[in-house]
Coordinates of all heavy atoms in Angstrom, one line a residue:
K1 N 0.8 -1.2 0.0 CA 0.0 0.0 0.0 C 0.9 1.3 0.0 O 0.6 2.2 -0.7 CB -0.9 0.0 1.2 CG -1.9 1.1 1.2 CD -3.0 1.0 2.3 CE -4.0 2.1 2.3 NZ -5.0 1.9 3.3
T2 N 1.9 1.3 0.8 CA 2.8 2.4 0.9 C 3.5 2.6 -0.4 O 3.7 3.8 -0.9 CB 3.8 2.2 2.0 OG1 3.1 1.9 3.2 CG2 4.6 3.5 2.3
A3 N 4.0 1.5 -1.0 CA 4.7 1.6 -2.3 C 3.7 2.2 -3.4 O 4.2 3.0 -4.2 CB 5.2 0.2 -2.7
Y4 N 2.5 1.7 -3.3 CA 1.5 2.2 -4.3 C 1.4 3.7 -4.3 O 1.4 4.4 -5.3 CB 0.1 1.5 -4.1 CG -1.0 2.1 -4.9 CD1 -1.2 1.8 -6.2 CD2 -1.8 3.1 -4.3 CE1 -2.2 2.3 -6.9 CE2 -2.8 3.7 -5.0 CZ -3.0 3.3 -6.4 OH -4.0 3.9 -7.1
Y5 N 1.2 4.2 -3.1 CA 1.0 5.7 -2.9 C 2.3 6.4 -3.2 O 2.2 7.6 -3.6 CB 0.4 6.0 -1.6 CG -1.1 5.7 -1.5 CD1 -1.6 4.7 -0.7 CD2 -2.0 6.4 -2.3 CE1 -2.9 4.4 -0.6 CE2 -3.4 6.2 -2.2 CZ -3.8 5.1 -1.4 OH -5.2 4.8 -1.4
H6 N 3.4 5.8 -3.0 CA 4.7 6.4 -3.3 C 4.7 6.7 -4.8 O 5.1 7.8 -5.3 CB 5.8 5.5 -2.9 CG 7.2 6.1 -3.1 ND1 7.9 6.7 -2.1 CD2 7.9 6.2 -4.3 CE1 9.1 7.1 -2.6 NE2 9.1 6.9 -3.9
V7 N 4.4 5.7 -5.6 CA 4.4 5.8 -7.1 C 3.2 6.7 -7.5 O 3.4 7.5 -8.4 CB 4.3 4.4 -7.7 CG1 4.1 4.5 -9.2 CG2 5.4 3.5 -7.4
F8 N 2.1 6.5 -6.9 CA 0.9 7.3 -7.2 C 1.1 8.8 -7.1 O 0.7 9.6 -8.0 CB -0.3 6.9 -6.3 CG -1.6 7.5 -6.7 CD1 -2.4 7.0 -7.6 CD2 -2.1 8.6 -6.0 CE1 -3.6 7.5 -7.9 CE2 -3.3 9.2 -6.3 CZ -4.1 8.7 -7.3
D9 N 1.8 9.2 -6.0 CA 2.1 10.6 -5.8 C 3.0 11.2 -6.8 O 2.9 12.4 -7.2 CB 2.7 10.9 -4.4 CG 1.6 10.7 -3.3 OD1 0.4 10.7 -3.6 OD2 2.0 10.4 -2.1
I10 N 4.0 10.4 -7.3 CA 4.9 10.9 -8.4 C 4.1 11.0 -9.7 O 4.2 12.0 -10.4 CB 6.0 9.8 -8.6 CG1 6.9 9.8 -7.3 CG2 6.9 10.3 -9.8 CD1 8.0 8.7 -7.4
L11 N 3.2 10.1 -10.0 CA 2.5 10.1 -11.2 C 1.5 11.3 -11.2 O 1.3 11.9 -12.3 CB 1.6 8.8 -11.4 CG 2.4 7.5 -11.8 CD1 1.5 6.3 -11.6 CD2 2.9 7.7 -13.2
K12 N 0.9 11.6 -10.1 CA 0.0 12.8 -10.0 C 0.7 14.1 -10.5 O 0.0 14.9 -11.1 CB -0.6 12.9 -8.6 CG -1.6 11.9 -8.2 CD -2.4 12.3 -7.0 CE -1.5 12.6 -5.8 NZ -2.3 13.0 -4.6
Q13 N 2.0 14.2 -10.2 CA 2.7 15.4 -10.5 C 3.5 15.4 -11.8 O 4.2 16.3 -12.1 CB 3.6 15.8 -9.3 CG 2.9 15.9 -8.0 CD 2.0 17.1 -7.9 OE1 2.2 18.1 -8.7 NE2 1.0 17.1 -7.1
S14 N 3.3 14.3 -12.5 CA 4.1 14.1 -13.7 C 3.6 15.0 -14.9 O 2.5 15.5 -14.9 CB 4.0 12.6 -14.2 OG 2.7 12.3 -14.5
N15 N 4.4 15.2 -15.9 CA 4.1 15.9 -17.1 C 3.5 17.3 -16.9 O 2.4 17.5 -17.2 CB 3.2 15.0 -18.0 CG 3.4 15.4 -19.5 OD1 3.8 16.5 -19.8 ND2 3.0 14.4 -20.3
V16 N 4.3 18.2 -16.4 CA 3.9 19.5 -16.1 C 3.4 20.3 -17.3 O 2.4 21.0 -17.3 CB 5.0 20.3 -15.4 CG1 4.6 21.7 -15.1 CG2 5.4 19.7 -14.0
T17 N 4.1 20.0 -18.4 CA 3.8 20.7 -19.7 C 2.3 20.4 -20.1 O 1.6 21.3 -20.5 CB 4.7 20.4 -20.8 OG1 6.1 20.7 -20.4 CG2 4.4 21.1 -22.1
A18 N 2.0 19.1 -20.1 CA 0.6 18.7 -20.4 C -0.4 19.3 -19.5 O -1.5 19.7 -19.9 CB 0.5 17.2 -20.4
R19 N -0.1 19.4 -18.2 CA -1.1 19.9 -17.3 C -1.2 21.5 -17.5 O -2.3 22.0 -17.3 CB -0.6 19.6 -15.8 CG -0.8 18.1 -15.5 CD -0.5 17.8 -14.0 NE 0.9 17.9 -13.7 CZ 1.4 18.6 -12.7 NH1 0.6 19.3 -11.9 NH2 2.7 18.5 -12.4
R20 N -0.1 22.1 -17.9 CA -0.3 23.5 -18.1 C -1.2 23.8 -19.4 O -2.0 24.7 -19.4 CB 1.1 24.1 -18.4 CG 2.0 24.4 -17.1 CD 3.4 24.8 -17.5 NE 4.1 25.1 -16.3 CZ 5.5 25.3 -16.3 NH1 6.2 25.0 -17.4 NH2 6.1 25.6 -15.2
L21 N -1.0 22.9 -20.4 CA -1.8 23.1 -21.6 C -3.3 22.8 -21.2 O -4.2 23.4 -21.8 CB -1.3 22.1 -22.6 CG 0.0 22.5 -23.3 CD1 0.5 21.4 -24.2 CD2 -0.1 23.8 -24.0
L22 N -3.5 21.8 -20.4 CA -4.9 21.6 -19.9 C -5.6 22.8 -19.3 O -6.7 23.1 -19.6 CB -5.0 20.3 -19.0 CG -4.8 19.0 -19.6 CD1 -4.7 17.9 -18.6 CD2 -5.9 18.7 -20.6
I23 N -4.8 23.4 -18.4 CA -5.3 24.6 -17.7 C -5.6 25.7 -18.8 O -6.7 26.3 -18.7 CB -4.2 25.1 -16.7 CG1 -4.2 24.3 -15.4 CG2 -4.5 26.6 -16.4 CD1 -5.4 24.6 -14.6
L24 N -4.7 25.9 -19.7 CA -4.9 26.9 -20.8 C -6.2 26.6 -21.6 O -7.0 27.5 -21.7 CB -3.7 26.9 -21.7 CG -3.8 27.8 -22.9 CD1 -3.9 29.3 -22.4 CD2 -2.6 27.6 -23.8
F25 N -6.3 25.4 -22.1 CA -7.5 25.2 -23.0 C -8.8 25.1 -22.2 O -9.9 25.5 -22.7 CB -7.2 23.9 -23.8 CG -6.2 24.1 -24.9 CD1 -4.9 23.6 -24.9 CD2 -6.6 24.9 -26.0 CE1 -4.0 23.8 -25.9 CE2 -5.7 25.1 -27.1 CZ -4.4 24.6 -27.0
Y26 N -8.8 24.5 -21.0 CA -10.0 24.5 -20.2 C -10.5 25.9 -19.8 O -11.7 26.2 -19.9 CB -9.8 23.7 -19.0 CG -10.0 22.2 -19.1 CD1 -9.1 21.3 -18.6 CD2 -11.0 21.6 -19.9 CE1 -9.2 19.9 -18.7 CE2 -11.2 20.3 -20.0 CZ -10.2 19.4 -19.5 OH -10.3 18.0 -19.6
T27 N -9.5 26.7 -19.5 CA -9.8 28.1 -19.1 C -10.4 28.9 -20.3 O -11.5 29.6 -20.2 CB -8.6 28.9 -18.6 OG1 -8.0 28.2 -17.5 CG2 -8.9 30.3 -18.2
I28 N -9.8 28.8 -21.5 CA -10.3 29.4 -22.6 C -11.7 28.9 -23.0 O -12.6 29.7 -23.3 CB -9.3 29.3 -23.8 CG1 -8.0 30.0 -23.5 CG2 -9.9 29.9 -25.1 CD1 -7.0 29.8 -24.6
G29 N -11.8 27.6 -23.0 CA -13.1 26.9 -23.3 C -14.2 27.4 -22.5 O -15.3 27.7 -22.9
F30 N -14.0 27.3 -21.1 CA -15.0 27.8 -20.2 C -15.3 29.3 -20.3 O -16.4 29.7 -20.2 CB -14.7 27.4 -18.8 CG -14.9 26.0 -18.4 CD1 -13.9 25.1 -18.1 CD2 -16.2 25.5 -18.4 CE1 -14.1 23.8 -17.8 CE2 -16.5 24.2 -18.1 CZ -15.4 23.3 -17.8
G31 N -14.3 30.0 -20.7 CA -14.4 31.5 -20.9 C -15.4 31.8 -22.0 O -16.3 32.6 -21.9
F32 N -15.2 31.1 -23.1 CA -16.1 31.3 -24.3 C -17.5 30.9 -23.9 O -18.5 31.5 -24.3 CB -15.6 30.5 -25.5 CG -14.4 31.0 -26.2 CD1 -13.4 30.2 -26.7 CD2 -14.2 32.4 -26.3 CE1 -12.3 30.7 -27.4 CE2 -13.2 33.0 -27.0 CZ -12.2 32.1 -27.5
F33 N -17.6 29.7 -23.3 CA -18.9 29.2 -23.0 C -19.7 30.1 -22.0 O -20.9 30.3 -22.2 CB -18.8 27.7 -22.4 CG -20.1 27.0 -22.2 CD1 -20.8 26.6 -23.2 CD2 -20.6 26.8 -20.9 CE1 -22.0 25.9 -23.1 CE2 -21.8 26.2 -20.7 CZ -22.5 25.7 -21.8
I34 N -19.0 30.5 -21.0 CA -19.7 31.4 -20.0 C -20.1 32.7 -20.6 O -21.1 33.3 -20.3 CB -18.8 31.6 -18.8 CG1 -18.6 30.3 -18.0 CG2 -19.3 32.8 -17.9 CD1 -17.5 30.4 -16.9
T35 N -19.3 33.2 -21.5 CA -19.6 34.5 -22.3 C -20.9 34.3 -23.0 O -21.8 35.2 -23.0 CB -18.5 34.9 -23.2 OG1 -17.3 35.1 -22.5 CG2 -18.8 36.1 -24.0
V36 N -21.1 33.2 -23.7 CA -22.3 32.9 -24.4 C -23.5 32.9 -23.4 O -24.6 33.5 -23.7 CB -22.2 31.6 -25.2 CG1 -23.6 31.2 -25.8 CG2 -21.2 31.7 -26.3

């Protein structure tokens, strides 16, 4: 169990670039939708 969460916590924080892009496109998408 401890080993699982050790790996799980690393995976959660992986690929910062992809997560930044997700923030960008979700923010713009919701911005357009809320404006409508």
Side-chain angles (χ1 to χ4, degrees):
K1 186 173 184 177
T2 309
Y4 169 84
Y5 283 112
H6 184 101
V7 176
F8 186 83
D9 288 340
I10 297 174
L11 287 170
K12 285 196 305 182
Q13 301 295 334
S14 65
N15 206 333
V16 176
T17 301
R19 289 187 286 128
R20 283 174 174 165
L21 290 173
L22 283 175
I23 282 287
L24 174 65
F25 285 107
Y26 278 135
T27 300
I28 296 174
F30 279 115
F32 284 145
F33 186 71
I34 291 172
T35 300
V36 172

